[in-house]
Amino acid sequence: MILTDLIGSKVRILGYTDPNLIGKEGTIIFETRKTFLIQTSKKRITVFKDNGIFEIYYNNKKLVIPGSKLVGKLEKRWI
């Protein structure tokens, strides 16, 4: 499976280097090679992909993915 564009996908942070972000959930509204911008119910947060483990709903499937697998050019990302 290849994930090229996660914008619009629902996401929940399962693990992160900052424990205050664990459990936060929302929608990915922007993505760079290294970060996600997530719209939660209260605010927007930017998280580094490499620092976390994410539960992402993509193509009607729930995927648990280490952020290190999502770092890099979007068109070359394989899961």
Side-chain angles (χ1 to χ4, degrees):
M1 173 186 301
I2 186 168
L3 301 176
T4 56
D5 187 6
L6 295 175
I7 294 173
S9 298
K10 299 290 183 194
V11 63
R12 183 166 46 146
I13 301 170
L14 300 179
Y16 202 75
T17 53
D18 178 353
N20 294 318
L21 294 177
I22 296 173
K24 299 283 185 191
E25 55 185 71
T27 303
I28 299 170
I29 59 172
F30 189 72
E31 179 179 11
T32 68
R33 290 172 59 180
K34 296 182 181 182
T35 65
F36 287 132
L37 179 60
I38 300 171
Q39 177 67 56
T40 69
S41 62
K42 297 183 179 183
K43 62 180 180 176
R44 291 180 178 179
I45 57 173
T46 300
V47 296
F48 286 97
K49 295 175 184 177
D50 210 22
N51 293 353
I53 299 170
F54 303 94
E55 181 178 81
I56 298 174
Y57 296 88
Y58 179 79
N59 279 348
N60 298 319
K61 295 179 184 175
K62 179 170 72 171
L63 307 170
V64 175
I65 305 170
S68 59
K69 298 262 187 195
L70 300 171
V71 174
K73 291 184 179 183
L74 304 180
E75 63 273 9
K76 294 187 177 188
R77 179 167 58 201
W78 285 89
I79 300 292

